[in-house]
Amino acid sequence: MKIFVKKGKLVDTKSQAIILPLFEENKKLSGNALEIDKISDGLISELINNGDFEAKPSQISVIYTRGALPAQRIALVGLGKQNEFNLEKLRGAFAKIMQHLRNLNIKEAATEINLDLLPRKKDQMAQAVAEGSLLGLYQYTPFKTVGREDLKEMEQLTIVADEKDFSLIESTIKKAQIITQAVCFARDLISAPSNEMTPAIMAQKAQEIAHRKNVSCRVLNKAKMKEMGMNALLAVASGSNEEPKFIILEYAGGKKSAAPIVLVGKGLTFDSGGISIKPAEKMDEMKTDMSGGAAVMGVIMAAADLQLPLNIVALVPATENMPGGSAYKPGDIVKSYSGKTIEVLNTDAEGRLILADALAYASELKPAAVVDVATLTGACVIALGDDVIGMLGTDDKLKSEINSAAQTTGELVWELPLWESYHELIKSDIADYKNSSGRAASTITAAAFLSKFAGDSPWVHLDIAGPAWTTKDKTYIPKGASGVTVRLLVEFLRNRAQR
Ligand code: BES
Ligand code: MN
Ligand code: ZN
């Protein structure tokens, strides 16, 4: 769907549906709702006064105007109580109303960012409206062939704005479209099954991103990784017939001398567990074990399209984890790219192995900051639930930057401790470290393991095992891949770049 910004007033706008978000307290209408109500001889107030519409969060009512307005319908959507309002409610409301209109087979709608109704900065409001609408309307359909003609799609949302807000809203919407496009790009990659999203195909997607200005892509193949000594990554890949790829996407938008921000994303295109094989139930969901990799690719895409004045590198170690005659085995010891040795006690703790090599590579780039994103541990879902990102790291400032970006984007982040005592748990009897130390605090021990390879730069690890994939619809995250951390990291980068 495209969003257009147009000068004018909602009351005068010809549209299949004009969308009016309302608070529970709006029994006495004001602003454009009042104006529309007056012109339509009380269409809205009649509904409200009779108790049909209470403006509960995401409650919806669609009224035909029968010629009282140029618009064919008024679509009311509830925002809940005014004092409980936040941008998440606005995203949710717009996701719900747009999905509702799409289901009615409506192709086009209009709305207005009205300050009387929405007590926040207009650009934040406009961004949330765009995000809720575009992310909520996401559908993954490339493999549907039967009944394709019945798929419904919204084509256009018009945001009307007055003269003085027009340029602010227009530029905000442009940015929001860039950012949501990157989220949907990540969702597409994650949703694709592993036979259609192999390491080689992921690398090809990265090459496509590199068609942008100031973006370049290099892909290391297996022979190159062997030569370089990326043996932890190669060990994970050894059971698979798919060749692993080490993807290096670089966006050079900053000064030549400026240290890069390096984003590392776990790119397990399928995690069977390897010889320490997973149970059959839900194993299909392990096609999403490259969600971190897809996210950091999306972030580079958005950063380039937004022309952020920063240097950013995305690293995606991409491989399958499969059992096979040449697969790595419990008890094996590998010498990682950093030179440190790792005893593999569980081949299903593969994410930290490929990240170990990627983080060691990252540290060679003398980065200003390193953030890794990974569907790393089932334990993170047990600790924090399906919706929350686990955060661990070594740098308080970087953690607080991530936290404040998360406040804005509505992605939920919670920090777990990385105390000295946890580091004891990952020491191996016969190698430097072991890749698994059992169930106790295993999200933390995984991060403690990663810290050994992250070098001295400020580093934060985000465990997205919970929120990367959802099995039920959540307002603007339809069932499936969420694209979580794309918006979060773009916001973090925009704050660094001060735009
Ligand atoms: N990719 C999984 C973690 C995961 C589990 C992500 C569920 C999303 C949903 C990871 O590679 C894994 O298997 N972790 C193991 C580690 C254990 C063997 C130490 C886990 O969490 O069970
Ligand atoms: Mn695993
Ligand atoms: Zn995994």
Side-chain angles (χ1 to χ4, degrees):
M1 184 187 72
K2 286 262 179 300
I3 303 184
F4 293 99
V5 185
K6 205 183 86 183
K7 284 181 196 166
K9 301 187 80 180
L10 202 53
V11 68
D12 304 323
T13 303
K14 190 168 178 299
S15 170
Q16 285 186 280
I18 50 173
I19 300 171
L20 278 180
L22 292 175
F23 287 115
E24 285 182 32
E25 294 84 347
N26 281 144
K27 289 221 159 90
K28 267 219 201 94
L29 295 169
S30 64
N32 57 1
L34 179 62
E35 197 173 11
I36 289 165
D37 192 56
K38 275 187 179 155
I39 285 190
S40 66
D41 201 15
L43 275 180
I44 303 172
S45 50
E46 183 179 19
L47 212 73
I48 292 177
N49 295 339
N50 287 309
D52 291 8
F53 183 78
E54 298 172 301
K56 298 273 185 228
S58 299
Q59 189 190 1
I60 286 168
S61 230
V62 178
I63 320 164
Y64 275 85
T65 63
R66 312 196 72 186
L69 295 171
Q72 197 182 6
R73 302 173 187 83
I74 301 168
L76 302 178
V77 59
L79 291 174
K81 293 196 171 61
Q82 192 152 351
N83 60 1
E84 290 170 8
F85 177 76
N86 56 38
L87 294 174
E88 274 297 271
K89 299 250 168 68
L90 189 56
R91 290 183 193 104
F94 269 83
K96 283 286 168 201
I97 190 68
M98 295 301 279
Q99 289 162 356
H100 186 88
L101 297 178
R102 175 180 65 193
N103 293 344
L104 297 175
N105 216 4
I106 288 173
K107 299 289 175 198
E108 163 285 317
T111 193
E112 187 174 344
I113 313 296
N114 193 309
L115 253 194
D116 293 340
L117 296 172
L118 309 167
R120 286 292 190 287
K121 286 203 183 118
K122 278 204 178 172
D123 53 344
Q124 286 186 315
M125 298 287 189
Q127 183 168 343
V129 164
E131 288 173 339
S133 303
L134 292 163
L135 297 177
L137 287 172
Y138 176 80
Q139 292 172 290
Y140 184 74
T141 60
F143 295 98
K144 288 272 183 207
T145 65
V146 178
R148 256 201 103 73
E149 57 286 355
D150 298 333
L151 290 173
K152 292 174 181 146
E153 215 165 326
M154 202 73 183
E155 284 160 10
Q156 184 178 324
L157 175 66
T158 305
I159 297 182
V160 293
D162 58 23
E163 192 74 43
K164 83 175 164 26
D165 293 331
F166 178 79
S167 62
L168 176 68
I169 291 184
E170 192 179 43
S171 71
T172 301
I173 293 300
K174 261 202 196 113
K175 289 175 194 160
Q177 278 177 307
I178 287 171
I179 294 165
T180 53
Q181 200 177 24
V183 175
C184 294
F185 165 85
R187 286 179 177 181
D188 282 347
L189 262 59
I190 298 162
S191 303
S194 72
N195 60 327
E196 299 281 345
M197 191 48 61
T198 59
I201 298 173
M202 260 191 112
Q204 200 183 312
K205 296 284 176 193
Q207 303 278 14
E208 287 166 22
I209 292 174
H211 292 145
R212 290 170 169 74
K213 195 169 156 224
N214 291 333
V215 183
S216 60
C217 179
R218 257 187 331 135
V219 178
L220 310 183
N221 63 14
K222 193 169 164 181
K224 185 71 194 167
M225 285 184 250
K226 264 196 185 137
E227 186 191 312
M228 292 169 68
M230 292 197 164
N231 298 314
L233 172 48
L234 289 170
V236 174
S238 61
S240 170
N241 290 336
E242 294 292 339
E243 190 183 357
K245 303 286 178 191
F246 190 87
I247 302 166
I248 305 163
L249 252 180
E250 216 173 324
Y251 166 63
K255 292 203 186 83
K256 258 218 162 77
S257 59
I261 296 167
V262 183
L263 308 174
V264 181
K266 176 176 173 180
L268 252 296
T269 59
F270 189 73
D271 179 13
S272 71
I275 297 298
S276 314
I277 199 160
K278 289 181 180 295
E281 198 190 339
K282 290 205 198 163
M283 200 201 270
D284 59 291
E285 286 183 14
M286 284 301 117
K287 71 173 185 179
T288 69
D289 211 17
M290 33 58 77
S291 296
V296 301
M297 284 165 62
V299 174
I300 289 277
M301 181 175 189
D305 289 344
L306 292 168
Q307 298 179 33
L308 297 183
L310 298 169
N311 296 329
I312 311 167
V313 180
L315 301 176
V316 184
T319 179
E320 286 186 337
N321 182 23
M322 295 289 282
S326 56
Y328 77 139
K329 303 174 291 297
D332 286 1
I333 294 178
V334 295
K335 193 179 183 77
S336 70
Y337 180 58
S338 70
K340 293 171 180 163
T341 56
I342 305 166
E343 184 183 15
V344 177
L345 291 183
N346 189 322
T347 65
D348 198 12
E350 84 299 333
R352 66 199 76 183
L353 295 173
I354 68 167
L355 291 174
D357 281 353
L359 287 168
Y361 184 91
S363 74
E364 290 178 352
L365 305 174
K366 306 255 176 301
V370 180
V371 181
D372 79 73
V373 188
T375 45
L376 204 63
T377 63
C380 199
V381 194
I382 305 300
L384 300 175
D386 284 332
D387 297 339
V388 181
I389 301 167
M391 174 169 75
L392 302 99
T394 50
D395 189 83
D396 288 340
K397 177 168 173 284
L398 186 56
K399 282 187 280 196
S400 81
E401 285 179 88
I402 296 288
N403 256 328
S404 79
Q407 300 285 332
T408 306
T409 63
E411 288 153 294
L412 302 171
V413 172
W414 196 255
E415 188 181 354
L416 297 170
L418 199 48
W419 291 313
E420 200 45 49
S421 55
Y422 293 112
H423 292 262
E424 291 303 312
L425 302 175
I426 55 162
K427 286 186 179 157
S428 159
D429 293 337
I430 57 169
D432 295 330
Y433 306 111
K434 53 187 177 188
N435 79 330
S436 168
S437 56
R439 284 154 58 92
S442 71
T443 301
I444 300 175
T445 52
F449 181 92
L450 295 181
S451 74
K452 305 299 177 197
F453 303 89
D456 298 327
S457 308
W459 161 75
V460 159
H461 159 63
L462 300 175
D463 193 328
I464 57 168
W469 181 258
T470 172
T471 50
K472 56 176 199 295
D473 289 330
K474 298 181 197 167
T475 60
Y476 64 92
I477 308 174
K479 184 159 88 176
S482 67
V484 73
T485 72
V486 174
R487 288 187 306 119
L488 169 66
L489 292 174
V490 172
E491 181 66 22
F492 156 71
L493 293 168
R494 286 177 72 185
N495 290 341
R496 281 233 163 172
Q498 286 163 352
R499 24 182 110 178

